[in-house]
């Protein structure tokens, strides 16, 4: 059984919104000019690309991938070893964008991540993203049981 978990947009919320706007503008423009194809490609790359994690419970392996255009998965599989551990970390990611008048807009997103750690305690892969620690606590028990790992 495979579980696919979307982590976040590659270019953040502002970049993703701007990419979707450029994609829509390219779709409208493609009927009158062929330059709309370039806008569709740029908008699709920026607006639809995201990062995700695929967990294969049957073969005990995990892949962190960047999904280009939302379809093309890049990344390699990592075999899960019994000495690895799973833990919970809290993150605060701040995305900053500037307007034409040089005003900054900061968007702060707090999240709780379930992370795969190596046997040395090094963070390897974020496995799943949650908004609350209670939801992460219940899911980490499920992941540890299915993969046969210990909690950090």
């Amino acid at each position: 059984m495979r579980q696919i978990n979307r982590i976040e947009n590659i270019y953040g919320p502002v970049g993703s919104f701007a990419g979707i706007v450029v994609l829509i503008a390219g779709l409208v423009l493609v009927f009158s000019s062929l330059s709309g194809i370039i806008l569709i490609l740029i908008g699709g790359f920026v607006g639809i690309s995201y990062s995700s994690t695929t967990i294969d419970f049957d073969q005990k392996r995990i892949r962190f991938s960047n999904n280009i255009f939302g379809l093309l998965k890049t990344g390699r599989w990592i075999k899960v070893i019994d000495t690895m551990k799973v833990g919970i970390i809290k993150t605060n990611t701040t995305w900053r964008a500037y307007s034409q008048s040089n005003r900054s807009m900061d968007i702060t997103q707090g999240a709780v991540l379930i992370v795969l750690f190596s046997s040395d305690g090094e963070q390897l892969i974020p496995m799943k993203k949650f908004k609350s620690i209670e939801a992460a606590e219940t899911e980490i028990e499920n992941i540890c049981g299915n993969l046969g790992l210990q909690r950090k």
Side-chain angles (χ1 to χ4, degrees):
M1 178 180 87
R2 286 189 181 179
Q3 182 182 30
I4 300 172
N5 303 316
R6 186 175 179 147
I7 304 295
E8 64 186 359
N9 293 329
I10 293 175
Y11 294 101
V14 176
S16 177
F17 177 75
I20 291 172
V21 169
V22 170
L23 176 69
I24 292 170
L27 289 172
V28 171
L29 189 62
V30 79
F31 295 112
S32 62
S33 173
L34 291 178
S35 62
I37 295 173
I38 295 171
L39 290 177
I40 290 172
L41 291 174
I42 292 171
F45 179 73
V46 174
I48 304 174
S49 298
Y50 64 94
S51 61
S52 67
T53 302
T54 306
I55 305 171
D56 189 356
F57 292 110
D58 297 331
Q59 297 182 6
K60 290 191 176 184
R61 58 186 186 161
I62 299 173
R63 175 175 64 182
F64 179 80
S65 62
N66 289 318
N67 301 325
I68 311 297
F69 296 106
L71 299 172
L72 305 171
K73 291 186 178 187
T74 61
R76 60 187 176 105
W77 289 100
I78 294 178
K79 189 79 172 159
V80 175
I81 305 169
D82 293 337
T83 58
M84 292 180 176
K85 296 184 188 244
V86 179
I88 297 176
I89 61 169
K90 294 179 185 178
T91 63
N92 273 333
T93 305
T94 302
W95 301 93
R96 178 172 288 174
Y98 292 96
S99 67
Q100 285 184 338
S101 62
N102 205 21
R103 294 182 188 170
S104 66
M105 179 178 69
D106 295 337
I107 298 173
T108 302
Q109 295 176 338
V112 178
L113 293 174
I114 296 178
V115 179
L116 179 68
F117 290 94
S118 68
S119 58
D120 300 333
E122 179 184 348
Q123 290 183 16
L124 294 177
I125 297 175
M127 297 171 69
K128 200 163 185 179
K129 183 177 181 179
F130 294 95
K131 291 184 180 181
S132 69
I133 198 159
E134 292 83 17
E137 291 284 342
T138 58
E139 183 64 25
I140 197 169
E141 298 301 327
N142 184 22
I143 290 175
C144 287
N146 288 334
L147 291 176
L149 297 175
Q150 293 182 355
R151 189 168 172 192
K152 182 173 182 182

